[in-house]
Amino acid sequence: MKKSQILHLKTLVLIFMLIFISSCDDDVVGNWEPMEWVYENVSDGIKIIEPSGKDKDHVKYSTKIEVSKSGSVDIVCKNYNSYWFAEYPNMTNEGDYQSRFNTDFCEMKIEGNTLHCEFFNIEQQNPENFQIVLTAGDIFYHFQIEIK
């Protein structure tokens, strides 16, 4: 091999090593940022109770939404552009990317980074409390819906 070929080979090896090293990341696989939420257009009769203190650091993030009468709220995720339901009452197609569900007293629909929640006929019905779980992959967030 000529000296120039050896030099080119060494240069290529050095370039590949630099590319490999620069592509390494300190983040652990599965180390996702917690989902952060903003609540908009909150109707009277809907109260948001976010976790605080020790609860906020818990692995299972959870917010309580108390509903005392018909109304709506838009729940916006600040740090993920899209997410979907991982769990909701009477879920039938587990594993599918679900973006909406309905009951006799509520409709929840995900559009982009916003979850639109509408509660209706609360005063005429006696609905049960329930939980929804949202996910963006390996990160999950729980909402406890309490009907007052």
Side-chain angles (χ1 to χ4, degrees), residues 79-107:
N79 58 335
Y80 288 92
N81 291 330
S82 66
Y83 52 90
W84 54 94
F85 289 104
E87 178 185 320
Y88 57 80
N90 303 317
M91 187 172 188
T92 54
N93 299 354
E94 289 188 43
D96 289 348
Y97 297 118
Q98 301 288 321
S99 63
R100 107 179 1 228
F101 90 95
N102 301 319
T103 69
D104 292 339
F105 62 91
C106 84
E107 178 179 344

PDB file of all heavy atoms in Angstrom, residues 79-107:
ATOM      1  N   ASN A  79     -45.029  19.869  25.946  1.00  0.00           N
ATOM      2  CA  ASN A  79     -43.726  19.384  25.493  1.00  0.00           C
ATOM      3  C   ASN A  79     -43.776  18.135  24.611  1.00  0.00           C
ATOM      4  O   ASN A  79     -42.729  17.559  24.313  1.00  0.00           O
ATOM      5  CB  ASN A  79     -42.803  19.145  26.702  1.00  0.00           C
ATOM      6  CG  ASN A  79     -43.360  18.160  27.692  1.00  0.00           C
ATOM      7  OD1 ASN A  79     -44.571  17.965  27.777  1.00  0.00           O
ATOM      8  ND2 ASN A  79     -42.495  17.551  28.457  1.00  0.00           N
ATOM      9  N   TYR A  80     -44.957  17.703  24.187  1.00  0.00           N
ATOM     10  CA  TYR A  80     -45.072  16.631  23.191  1.00  0.00           C
ATOM     11  C   TYR A  80     -46.080  17.083  22.147  1.00  0.00           C
ATOM     12  O   TYR A  80     -47.156  17.573  22.484  1.00  0.00           O
ATOM     13  CB  TYR A  80     -45.529  15.309  23.834  1.00  0.00           C
ATOM     14  CG  TYR A  80     -44.454  14.661  24.678  1.00  0.00           C
ATOM     15  CD1 TYR A  80     -44.364  14.927  26.041  1.00  0.00           C
ATOM     16  CD2 TYR A  80     -43.522  13.806  24.109  1.00  0.00           C
ATOM     17  CE1 TYR A  80     -43.369  14.350  26.817  1.00  0.00           C
ATOM     18  CE2 TYR A  80     -42.528  13.226  24.877  1.00  0.00           C
ATOM     19  CZ  TYR A  80     -42.454  13.500  26.231  1.00  0.00           C
ATOM     20  OH  TYR A  80     -41.465  12.937  26.984  1.00  0.00           O
ATOM     21  N   ASN A  81     -45.742  16.911  20.867  1.00  0.00           N
ATOM     22  CA  ASN A  81     -46.617  17.359  19.785  1.00  0.00           C
ATOM     23  C   ASN A  81     -47.793  16.433  19.545  1.00  0.00           C
ATOM     24  O   ASN A  81     -48.807  16.845  18.995  1.00  0.00           O
ATOM     25  CB  ASN A  81     -45.829  17.518  18.480  1.00  0.00           C
ATOM     26  CG  ASN A  81     -44.866  18.676  18.555  1.00  0.00           C
ATOM     27  OD1 ASN A  81     -45.124  19.650  19.249  1.00  0.00           O
ATOM     28  ND2 ASN A  81     -43.752  18.569  17.865  1.00  0.00           N
ATOM     29  N   SER A  82     -47.644  15.174  19.902  1.00  0.00           N
ATOM     30  CA  SER A  82     -48.755  14.237  19.721  1.00  0.00           C
ATOM     31  C   SER A  82     -48.695  13.174  20.808  1.00  0.00           C
ATOM     32  O   SER A  82     -47.638  12.881  21.354  1.00  0.00           O
ATOM     33  CB  SER A  82     -48.701  13.591  18.333  1.00  0.00           C
ATOM     34  OG  SER A  82     -47.566  12.767  18.220  1.00  0.00           O
ATOM     35  N   TYR A  83     -49.859  12.640  21.110  1.00  0.00           N
ATOM     36  CA  TYR A  83     -49.996  11.576  22.084  1.00  0.00           C
ATOM     37  C   TYR A  83     -51.319  10.898  21.812  1.00  0.00           C
ATOM     38  O   TYR A  83     -52.086  11.319  20.938  1.00  0.00           O
ATOM     39  CB  TYR A  83     -49.918  12.113  23.523  1.00  0.00           C
ATOM     40  CG  TYR A  83     -50.850  13.255  23.809  1.00  0.00           C
ATOM     41  CD1 TYR A  83     -52.136  13.026  24.289  1.00  0.00           C
ATOM     42  CD2 TYR A  83     -50.470  14.575  23.590  1.00  0.00           C
ATOM     43  CE1 TYR A  83     -53.001  14.073  24.538  1.00  0.00           C
ATOM     44  CE2 TYR A  83     -51.336  15.615  23.847  1.00  0.00           C
ATOM     45  CZ  TYR A  83     -52.593  15.357  24.322  1.00  0.00           C
ATOM     46  OH  TYR A  83     -53.455  16.390  24.568  1.00  0.00           O
ATOM     47  N   TRP A  84     -51.629   9.838  22.530  1.00  0.00           N
ATOM     48  CA  TRP A  84     -52.855   9.102  22.298  1.00  0.00           C
ATOM     49  C   TRP A  84     -53.301   8.445  23.595  1.00  0.00           C
ATOM     50  O   TRP A  84     -52.577   8.428  24.575  1.00  0.00           O
ATOM     51  CB  TRP A  84     -52.674   8.070  21.186  1.00  0.00           C
ATOM     52  CG  TRP A  84     -51.529   7.134  21.419  1.00  0.00           C
ATOM     53  CD1 TRP A  84     -51.580   5.897  22.007  1.00  0.00           C
ATOM     54  CD2 TRP A  84     -50.149   7.347  21.088  1.00  0.00           C
ATOM     55  NE1 TRP A  84     -50.327   5.336  22.066  1.00  0.00           N
ATOM     56  CE2 TRP A  84     -49.421   6.211  21.507  1.00  0.00           C
ATOM     57  CE3 TRP A  84     -49.458   8.403  20.480  1.00  0.00           C
ATOM     58  CZ2 TRP A  84     -48.053   6.106  21.341  1.00  0.00           C
ATOM     59  CZ3 TRP A  84     -48.076   8.276  20.323  1.00  0.00           C
ATOM     60  CH2 TRP A  84     -47.400   7.139  20.738  1.00  0.00           C
ATOM     61  N   PHE A  85     -54.525   7.902  23.575  1.00  0.00           N
ATOM     62  CA  PHE A  85     -55.050   7.215  24.745  1.00  0.00           C
ATOM     63  C   PHE A  85     -54.370   5.853  24.884  1.00  0.00           C
ATOM     64  O   PHE A  85     -54.340   5.072  23.944  1.00  0.00           O
ATOM     65  CB  PHE A  85     -56.563   6.985  24.622  1.00  0.00           C
ATOM     66  CG  PHE A  85     -57.382   8.229  24.737  1.00  0.00           C
ATOM     67  CD1 PHE A  85     -57.934   8.822  23.620  1.00  0.00           C
ATOM     68  CD2 PHE A  85     -57.616   8.807  25.976  1.00  0.00           C
ATOM     69  CE1 PHE A  85     -58.703   9.957  23.722  1.00  0.00           C
ATOM     70  CE2 PHE A  85     -58.383   9.954  26.090  1.00  0.00           C
ATOM     71  CZ  PHE A  85     -58.921  10.539  24.963  1.00  0.00           C
ATOM     72  N   ALA A  86     -53.854   5.584  26.065  1.00  0.00           N
ATOM     73  CA  ALA A  86     -53.352   4.249  26.375  1.00  0.00           C
ATOM     74  C   ALA A  86     -54.431   3.462  27.108  1.00  0.00           C
ATOM     75  O   ALA A  86     -54.444   2.235  27.079  1.00  0.00           O
ATOM     76  CB  ALA A  86     -52.096   4.331  27.235  1.00  0.00           C
ATOM     77  N   GLU A  87     -55.329   4.193  27.775  1.00  0.00           N
ATOM     78  CA  GLU A  87     -56.399   3.537  28.526  1.00  0.00           C
ATOM     79  C   GLU A  87     -57.558   4.507  28.712  1.00  0.00           C
ATOM     80  O   GLU A  87     -57.352   5.695  28.944  1.00  0.00           O
ATOM     81  CB  GLU A  87     -55.867   3.123  29.896  1.00  0.00           C
ATOM     82  CG  GLU A  87     -56.868   2.471  30.804  1.00  0.00           C
ATOM     83  CD  GLU A  87     -56.282   2.201  32.176  1.00  0.00           C
ATOM     84  OE1 GLU A  87     -55.114   1.800  32.279  1.00  0.00           O
ATOM     85  OE2 GLU A  87     -57.018   2.418  33.162  1.00  0.00           O
ATOM     86  N   TYR A  88     -58.766   3.999  28.588  1.00  0.00           N
ATOM     87  CA  TYR A  88     -59.982   4.726  28.923  1.00  0.00           C
ATOM     88  C   TYR A  88     -61.072   3.696  29.199  1.00  0.00           C
ATOM     89  O   TYR A  88     -60.896   2.515  28.895  1.00  0.00           O
ATOM     90  CB  TYR A  88     -60.389   5.726  27.840  1.00  0.00           C
ATOM     91  CG  TYR A  88     -60.595   5.161  26.458  1.00  0.00           C
ATOM     92  CD1 TYR A  88     -61.772   4.507  26.118  1.00  0.00           C
ATOM     93  CD2 TYR A  88     -59.620   5.300  25.486  1.00  0.00           C
ATOM     94  CE1 TYR A  88     -61.969   3.995  24.854  1.00  0.00           C
ATOM     95  CE2 TYR A  88     -59.806   4.794  24.219  1.00  0.00           C
ATOM     96  CZ  TYR A  88     -60.986   4.144  23.904  1.00  0.00           C
ATOM     97  OH  TYR A  88     -61.171   3.639  22.648  1.00  0.00           O
ATOM     98  N   PRO A  89     -62.191   4.106  29.778  1.00  0.00           N
ATOM     99  CA  PRO A  89     -63.231   3.141  30.126  1.00  0.00           C
ATOM    100  C   PRO A  89     -63.718   2.348  28.916  1.00  0.00           C
ATOM    101  O   PRO A  89     -63.929   2.903  27.840  1.00  0.00           O
ATOM    102  CB  PRO A  89     -64.362   4.009  30.683  1.00  0.00           C
ATOM    103  CG  PRO A  89     -63.686   5.260  31.133  1.00  0.00           C
ATOM    104  CD  PRO A  89     -62.536   5.458  30.192  1.00  0.00           C
ATOM    105  N   ASN A  90     -63.839   1.053  29.097  1.00  0.00           N
ATOM    106  CA  ASN A  90     -64.350   0.147  28.059  1.00  0.00           C
ATOM    107  C   ASN A  90     -63.537   0.191  26.768  1.00  0.00           C
ATOM    108  O   ASN A  90     -64.077   0.041  25.679  1.00  0.00           O
ATOM    109  CB  ASN A  90     -65.825   0.439  27.758  1.00  0.00           C
ATOM    110  CG  ASN A  90     -66.675   0.339  28.994  1.00  0.00           C
ATOM    111  OD1 ASN A  90     -66.504  -0.584  29.799  1.00  0.00           O
ATOM    112  ND2 ASN A  90     -67.563   1.298  29.189  1.00  0.00           N
ATOM    113  N   MET A  91     -62.245   0.377  26.890  1.00  0.00           N
ATOM    114  CA  MET A  91     -61.371   0.406  25.713  1.00  0.00           C
ATOM    115  C   MET A  91     -61.389  -0.972  25.055  1.00  0.00           C
ATOM    116  O   MET A  91     -61.239  -1.988  25.728  1.00  0.00           O
ATOM    117  CB  MET A  91     -59.950   0.786  26.123  1.00  0.00           C
ATOM    118  CG  MET A  91     -59.015   1.002  24.977  1.00  0.00           C
ATOM    119  SD  MET A  91     -57.458   1.679  25.613  1.00  0.00           S
ATOM    120  CE  MET A  91     -56.636   2.072  24.091  1.00  0.00           C
ATOM    121  N   THR A  92     -61.578  -0.997  23.737  1.00  0.00           N
ATOM    122  CA  THR A  92     -61.695  -2.276  23.038  1.00  0.00           C
ATOM    123  C   THR A  92     -60.456  -2.643  22.233  1.00  0.00           C
ATOM    124  O   THR A  92     -60.090  -3.795  22.166  1.00  0.00           O
ATOM    125  CB  THR A  92     -62.910  -2.259  22.092  1.00  0.00           C
ATOM    126  OG1 THR A  92     -62.794  -1.122  21.217  1.00  0.00           O
ATOM    127  CG2 THR A  92     -64.202  -2.170  22.882  1.00  0.00           C
ATOM    128  N   ASN A  93     -59.813  -1.694  21.622  1.00  0.00           N
ATOM    129  CA  ASN A  93     -58.677  -1.990  20.744  1.00  0.00           C
ATOM    130  C   ASN A  93     -57.370  -1.600  21.397  1.00  0.00           C
ATOM    131  O   ASN A  93     -56.679  -0.701  20.935  1.00  0.00           O
ATOM    132  CB  ASN A  93     -58.821  -1.256  19.407  1.00  0.00           C
ATOM    133  CG  ASN A  93     -60.051  -1.669  18.653  1.00  0.00           C
ATOM    134  OD1 ASN A  93     -60.750  -2.582  19.054  1.00  0.00           O
ATOM    135  ND2 ASN A  93     -60.322  -1.008  17.556  1.00  0.00           N
ATOM    136  N   GLU A  94     -56.991  -2.281  22.465  1.00  0.00           N
ATOM    137  CA  GLU A  94     -55.743  -1.940  23.131  1.00  0.00           C
ATOM    138  C   GLU A  94     -54.590  -2.118  22.150  1.00  0.00           C
ATOM    139  O   GLU A  94     -54.561  -3.058  21.379  1.00  0.00           O
ATOM    140  CB  GLU A  94     -55.546  -2.808  24.369  1.00  0.00           C
ATOM    141  CG  GLU A  94     -56.499  -2.443  25.475  1.00  0.00           C
ATOM    142  CD  GLU A  94     -56.180  -3.151  26.764  1.00  0.00           C
ATOM    143  OE1 GLU A  94     -54.992  -3.224  27.110  1.00  0.00           O
ATOM    144  OE2 GLU A  94     -57.128  -3.627  27.389  1.00  0.00           O
ATOM    145  N   GLY A  95     -53.647  -1.200  22.214  1.00  0.00           N
ATOM    146  CA  GLY A  95     -52.504  -1.263  21.314  1.00  0.00           C
ATOM    147  C   GLY A  95     -52.676  -0.363  20.101  1.00  0.00           C
ATOM    148  O   GLY A  95     -51.718   0.013  19.469  1.00  0.00           O
ATOM    149  N   ASP A  96     -53.923  -0.035  19.754  1.00  0.00           N
ATOM    150  CA  ASP A  96     -54.161   0.888  18.649  1.00  0.00           C
ATOM    151  C   ASP A  96     -53.936   2.311  19.134  1.00  0.00           C
ATOM    152  O   ASP A  96     -54.090   2.610  20.309  1.00  0.00           O
ATOM    153  CB  ASP A  96     -55.593   0.768  18.128  1.00  0.00           C
ATOM    154  CG  ASP A  96     -55.816  -0.537  17.380  1.00  0.00           C
ATOM    155  OD1 ASP A  96     -54.825  -1.215  17.077  1.00  0.00           O
ATOM    156  OD2 ASP A  96     -56.979  -0.863  17.115  1.00  0.00           O
ATOM    157  N   TYR A  97     -53.588   3.175  18.217  1.00  0.00           N
ATOM    158  CA  TYR A  97     -53.419   4.584  18.564  1.00  0.00           C
ATOM    159  C   TYR A  97     -54.791   5.232  18.574  1.00  0.00           C
ATOM    160  O   TYR A  97     -55.295   5.665  17.546  1.00  0.00           O
ATOM    161  CB  TYR A  97     -52.479   5.276  17.583  1.00  0.00           C
ATOM    162  CG  TYR A  97     -51.090   4.708  17.594  1.00  0.00           C
ATOM    163  CD1 TYR A  97     -50.544   4.126  16.467  1.00  0.00           C
ATOM    164  CD2 TYR A  97     -50.320   4.759  18.738  1.00  0.00           C
ATOM    165  CE1 TYR A  97     -49.263   3.597  16.489  1.00  0.00           C
ATOM    166  CE2 TYR A  97     -49.038   4.234  18.776  1.00  0.00           C
ATOM    167  CZ  TYR A  97     -48.523   3.663  17.647  1.00  0.00           C
ATOM    168  OH  TYR A  97     -47.259   3.149  17.679  1.00  0.00           O
ATOM    169  N   GLN A  98     -55.410   5.278  19.744  1.00  0.00           N
ATOM    170  CA  GLN A  98     -56.752   5.811  19.892  1.00  0.00           C
ATOM    171  C   GLN A  98     -56.685   7.313  20.127  1.00  0.00           C
ATOM    172  O   GLN A  98     -55.910   7.770  20.959  1.00  0.00           O
ATOM    173  CB  GLN A  98     -57.453   5.139  21.069  1.00  0.00           C
ATOM    174  CG  GLN A  98     -57.560   3.641  20.942  1.00  0.00           C
ATOM    175  CD  GLN A  98     -58.571   3.231  19.876  1.00  0.00           C
ATOM    176  OE1 GLN A  98     -59.619   3.854  19.747  1.00  0.00           O
ATOM    177  NE2 GLN A  98     -58.258   2.207  19.118  1.00  0.00           N
ATOM    178  N   SER A  99     -57.518   8.068  19.443  1.00  0.00           N
ATOM    179  CA  SER A  99     -57.498   9.520  19.605  1.00  0.00           C
ATOM    180  C   SER A  99     -58.849  10.091  20.037  1.00  0.00           C
ATOM    181  O   SER A  99     -58.980  11.292  20.164  1.00  0.00           O
ATOM    182  CB  SER A  99     -57.056  10.193  18.310  1.00  0.00           C
ATOM    183  OG  SER A  99     -57.979   9.913  17.289  1.00  0.00           O
ATOM    184  N   ARG A 100     -59.838   9.224  20.295  1.00  0.00           N
ATOM    185  CA  ARG A 100     -61.138   9.727  20.729  1.00  0.00           C
ATOM    186  C   ARG A 100     -61.904   8.621  21.428  1.00  0.00           C
ATOM    187  O   ARG A 100     -61.711   7.456  21.149  1.00  0.00           O
ATOM    188  CB  ARG A 100     -61.899  10.302  19.568  1.00  0.00           C
ATOM    189  CG  ARG A 100     -63.047   9.517  19.067  1.00  0.00           C
ATOM    190  CD  ARG A 100     -63.849  10.093  17.909  1.00  0.00           C
ATOM    191  NE  ARG A 100     -63.402  11.339  17.388  1.00  0.00           N
ATOM    192  CZ  ARG A 100     -64.191  12.371  17.145  1.00  0.00           C
ATOM    193  NH1 ARG A 100     -65.473  12.297  17.379  1.00  0.00           N
ATOM    194  NH2 ARG A 100     -63.721  13.491  16.649  1.00  0.00           N
ATOM    195  N   PHE A 101     -62.779   9.042  22.349  1.00  0.00           N
ATOM    196  CA  PHE A 101     -63.758   8.118  22.913  1.00  0.00           C
ATOM    197  C   PHE A 101     -64.952   8.897  23.422  1.00  0.00           C
ATOM    198  O   PHE A 101     -64.872  10.074  23.733  1.00  0.00           O
ATOM    199  CB  PHE A 101     -63.138   7.201  23.973  1.00  0.00           C
ATOM    200  CG  PHE A 101     -63.176   7.724  25.375  1.00  0.00           C
ATOM    201  CD1 PHE A 101     -64.199   7.360  26.242  1.00  0.00           C
ATOM    202  CD2 PHE A 101     -62.188   8.570  25.842  1.00  0.00           C
ATOM    203  CE1 PHE A 101     -64.232   7.838  27.528  1.00  0.00           C
ATOM    204  CE2 PHE A 101     -62.217   9.043  27.127  1.00  0.00           C
ATOM    205  CZ  PHE A 101     -63.245   8.680  27.982  1.00  0.00           C
ATOM    206  N   ASN A 102     -66.095   8.225  23.472  1.00  0.00           N
ATOM    207  CA  ASN A 102     -67.358   8.837  23.873  1.00  0.00           C
ATOM    208  C   ASN A 102     -68.042   7.968  24.916  1.00  0.00           C
ATOM    209  O   ASN A 102     -67.902   6.751  24.892  1.00  0.00           O
ATOM    210  CB  ASN A 102     -68.315   8.961  22.688  1.00  0.00           C
ATOM    211  CG  ASN A 102     -67.742   9.776  21.568  1.00  0.00           C
ATOM    212  OD1 ASN A 102     -67.109  10.786  21.795  1.00  0.00           O
ATOM    213  ND2 ASN A 102     -67.973   9.334  20.349  1.00  0.00           N
ATOM    214  N   THR A 103     -68.793   8.608  25.796  1.00  0.00           N
ATOM    215  CA  THR A 103     -69.704   7.907  26.690  1.00  0.00           C
ATOM    216  C   THR A 103     -71.038   8.642  26.608  1.00  0.00           C
ATOM    217  O   THR A 103     -71.188   9.576  25.814  1.00  0.00           O
ATOM    218  CB  THR A 103     -69.199   7.912  28.154  1.00  0.00           C
ATOM    219  OG1 THR A 103     -69.275   9.243  28.664  1.00  0.00           O
ATOM    220  CG2 THR A 103     -67.774   7.399  28.266  1.00  0.00           C
ATOM    221  N   ASP A 104     -71.979   8.256  27.461  1.00  0.00           N
ATOM    222  CA  ASP A 104     -73.275   8.937  27.490  1.00  0.00           C
ATOM    223  C   ASP A 104     -73.174  10.344  28.047  1.00  0.00           C
ATOM    224  O   ASP A 104     -74.086  11.151  27.883  1.00  0.00           O
ATOM    225  CB  ASP A 104     -74.271   8.145  28.340  1.00  0.00           C
ATOM    226  CG  ASP A 104     -74.641   6.822  27.702  1.00  0.00           C
ATOM    227  OD1 ASP A 104     -74.470   6.691  26.473  1.00  0.00           O
ATOM    228  OD2 ASP A 104     -75.096   5.924  28.429  1.00  0.00           O
ATOM    229  N   PHE A 105     -72.063  10.655  28.727  1.00  0.00           N
ATOM    230  CA  PHE A 105     -71.948  11.961  29.379  1.00  0.00           C
ATOM    231  C   PHE A 105     -70.662  12.713  29.049  1.00  0.00           C
ATOM    232  O   PHE A 105     -70.457  13.818  29.527  1.00  0.00           O
ATOM    233  CB  PHE A 105     -72.065  11.813  30.897  1.00  0.00           C
ATOM    234  CG  PHE A 105     -70.977  10.978  31.502  1.00  0.00           C
ATOM    235  CD1 PHE A 105     -69.810  11.564  31.955  1.00  0.00           C
ATOM    236  CD2 PHE A 105     -71.116   9.611  31.609  1.00  0.00           C
ATOM    237  CE1 PHE A 105     -68.792  10.798  32.497  1.00  0.00           C
ATOM    238  CE2 PHE A 105     -70.105   8.836  32.157  1.00  0.00           C
ATOM    239  CZ  PHE A 105     -68.943   9.432  32.601  1.00  0.00           C
ATOM    240  N   CYS A 106     -69.774  12.138  28.230  1.00  0.00           N
ATOM    241  CA  CYS A 106     -68.575  12.895  27.858  1.00  0.00           C
ATOM    242  C   CYS A 106     -68.035  12.463  26.503  1.00  0.00           C
ATOM    243  O   CYS A 106     -68.309  11.361  26.023  1.00  0.00           O
ATOM    244  CB  CYS A 106     -67.488  12.777  28.932  1.00  0.00           C
ATOM    245  SG  CYS A 106     -66.452  11.329  28.819  1.00  0.00           S
ATOM    246  N   GLU A 107     -67.298  13.394  25.903  1.00  0.00           N
ATOM    247  CA  GLU A 107     -66.583  13.119  24.659  1.00  0.00           C
ATOM    248  C   GLU A 107     -65.178  13.671  24.828  1.00  0.00           C
ATOM    249  O   GLU A 107     -64.996  14.804  25.275  1.00  0.00           O
ATOM    250  CB  GLU A 107     -67.266  13.794  23.472  1.00  0.00           C
ATOM    251  CG  GLU A 107     -66.517  13.573  22.177  1.00  0.00           C
ATOM    252  CD  GLU A 107     -67.192  14.228  20.978  1.00  0.00           C
ATOM    253  OE1 GLU A 107     -68.373  14.594  21.059  1.00  0.00           O
ATOM    254  OE2 GLU A 107     -66.489  14.382  19.961  1.00  0.00           O
TER     255      GLU A 107
END
